[in-house]
Amino acid sequence: MTNIGMTGTKLQRIIGLTLRSGVIAASATGILGGVLFLATHGGQLVSFHVFEGTQSPYSSPAKIVQAALKSHSGDRPLRGLAIAQLGIMMLLLTPIIRVAFSIVGFAIERDRIYVVITSIVLATLIASLLLR
């Protein structure tokens, strides 16, 4: 019984570290993207009198990652926006990773009911991200 408790405590530390590092990495990425975006678009005047909708060039996670990692000079003005969106995506993935680690913890503790319930939660979270 002591071995399971120690494993649970160690797993809780890993989960806590994952949450903290995920939030820190997402924040740093978002701030970097914001700074890069404002460096290129900071002086741009915005009119709030007329709404002009535009197509988002980053409509999927794959496009966001591609645009953030591109180094072409033609895409440079929008690269800051892509990096900021990557930070938001990282922030969204942080609790999903926590749920996945929780499944591992419940499996180690041999708590089948919580493994099933947490697996359903994880499937729901992933489906909500993938489905539009």
Side-chain angles (χ1 to χ4, degrees):
M1 189 80 179
T2 309
N3 191 16
I4 292 174
M6 288 301 290
T7 304
T9 303
K10 187 175 182 180
L11 187 66
Q12 288 173 357
R13 287 184 188 156
I14 291 171
I15 289 171
L17 178 65
T18 301
L19 289 172
R20 279 190 298 277
S21 59
V23 169
I24 290 170
S27 298
T29 304
I31 289 170
L32 174 68
V35 167
L36 291 174
F37 182 77
L38 288 176
T40 56
H41 295 285
Q44 185 177 357
L45 294 176
V46 180
S47 172
F48 293 106
H49 298 288
V50 178
F51 176 75
E52 295 178 21
T54 60
Q55 290 283 337
S56 175
Y58 316 117
S59 57
S60 70
K63 288 181 181 179
I64 292 171
V65 172
Q66 265 183 345
L69 298 178
K70 270 187 184 176
S71 61
H72 294 96
S73 60
D75 296 334
R76 201 167 224 134
L78 293 178
R79 188 171 184 211
L81 180 61
I83 292 172
Q85 287 182 344
L86 181 64
I88 293 169
M89 193 169 68
M90 290 167 62
L91 191 62
L92 288 171
L93 289 175
T94 301
I96 294 173
I97 294 169
R98 182 210 185 278
V99 172
F101 280 157
S102 296
I103 292 172
V104 172
F106 292 136
I108 289 171
E109 293 177 358
R110 297 186 180 126
D111 197 343
R112 293 180 188 164
I113 293 174
Y114 282 111
V115 168
V116 170
I117 292 170
T118 310
S119 296
I120 292 170
V121 169
L122 181 62
T124 304
L125 289 170
I126 292 173
S128 69
L129 284 177
L130 297 178
L131 299 176
R132 292 183 188 207

